[in-house]
Amino acid sequence: MKGIIGRKLGMTQLFDAETGDVQVVTVIQAGPCPVVQIRTLDRDGYEAAQLAFDEVAEWKLARGEVGHLKRHGFGAHRELVEFRGSTELGEGDTVTVEAFEPGDSVKVSGVSIGKGFQGTVKRHNFSMGPKSHGSRNVRAPGSIGASASPSRVFKGQKMPGRMGGARVTQRGLRVVEVDAEKDLLLVSGGVPGPKNSVVIVRQDGA
């Protein structure tokens, strides 16, 4: 099990010294993440490692979370995430970006950028209607059901509504570079969320 919590700093590009090809990467400032607790099969019914990230003042957390961290000898941290699966880590260990190597396949989870209330063309990629003179159906969604039967709109119809602001996991990414001195992970492609948002990096397939 490989996993770490980080913060998305933004995107940049790297040039291959041999071929000159450009590769788009996302820069993630990850860790260091202390291991707060190890879940075991006998005691908890499942195996997992609980990691903390981003130290903050105690008043910014609920008392229950502060108490949980104090019981295990840690100060207040903004994020507390469990990584399922067997692990060789122990309570009190620290996970850094050195747990990953260039070429590792990873998946990154985060909360996508909120886009507010959107129509069906943008939200669900619907086709637009005719734009000829007199057309009143340029961005309308079209039919959403029959009238007499069933005399209602079925649940789950693709309709206008709030777009974005949901947890998304981007799979099939690759670690391009690891900077242990600055706690940076450079991951190929884009990852969910705006700049400075918290993301969770896991080994793909875990």
Side-chain angles (χ1 to χ4, degrees):
M1 187 279 302
K2 285 184 182 179
I4 197 168
I5 313 167
R7 192 174 297 279
K8 177 181 175 180
L9 298 184
M11 298 188 72
T12 185
Q13 57 189 13
L14 297 178
F15 291 89
D16 192 309
E18 297 180 359
T19 64
D21 293 338
V22 178
Q23 182 161 25
V24 178
V25 296
T26 300
V27 183
I28 300 173
Q29 186 167 20
C33 298
V35 180
V36 176
Q37 188 177 11
I38 298 295
R39 302 286 191 181
T40 62
L41 200 60
D42 295 334
R43 185 186 63 198
D44 304 295
Y46 65 98
E47 292 181 309
Q50 193 178 80
L51 271 58
F53 175 70
D54 192 10
E55 289 190 52
V56 293
E58 287 188 8
W59 62 268
K60 293 188 177 183
L61 299 181
R63 284 189 297 176
E65 193 169 2
V66 172
H68 171 73
L69 288 164
K70 280 186 175 180
R71 278 196 303 275
H72 292 86
F74 294 95
H77 286 72
R78 191 185 302 275
E79 303 294 330
L80 199 61
V81 178
E82 284 190 357
F83 293 83
R84 292 285 187 112
S86 59
T87 179
E88 297 178 357
L89 296 170
E91 293 185 8
D93 291 349
T94 301
V95 178
T96 65
V97 292
E98 292 178 305
F100 295 89
E101 296 178 357
D104 283 352
S105 180
V106 294
K107 57 185 178 182
V108 180
S109 301
V111 178
S112 62
I113 297 173
K115 295 176 173 60
F117 191 97
Q118 299 296 335
T120 54
V121 172
K122 180 169 183 175
R123 191 182 187 207
H124 300 295
N125 200 29
F126 277 20
S127 298
M128 294 203 295
K131 298 179 183 178
S132 55
H133 180 69
S135 172
R136 301 176 64 182
N137 188 29
V138 178
R139 298 180 71 92
S143 174
I144 58 173
S147 57
S149 176
S151 302
R152 63 188 176 87
V153 177
F154 286 116
K155 289 183 179 180
Q157 285 282 356
K158 292 181 178 179
M159 303 277 278
R162 189 175 65 85
M163 182 180 179
R167 182 181 170 87
V168 177
T169 299
Q170 181 67 46
R171 307 192 68 154
L173 303 177
R174 182 173 55 86
V175 176
V176 178
E177 193 174 315
V178 178
D179 189 337
E181 293 183 2
K182 298 180 180 178
D183 295 321
L184 297 179
L185 275 179
L186 273 63
V187 179
S188 63
V191 304
K195 290 181 181 179
N196 296 318
S197 62
V198 174
V199 294
I200 299 168
V201 183
R202 288 183 171 89
Q203 183 179 9
D204 203 1

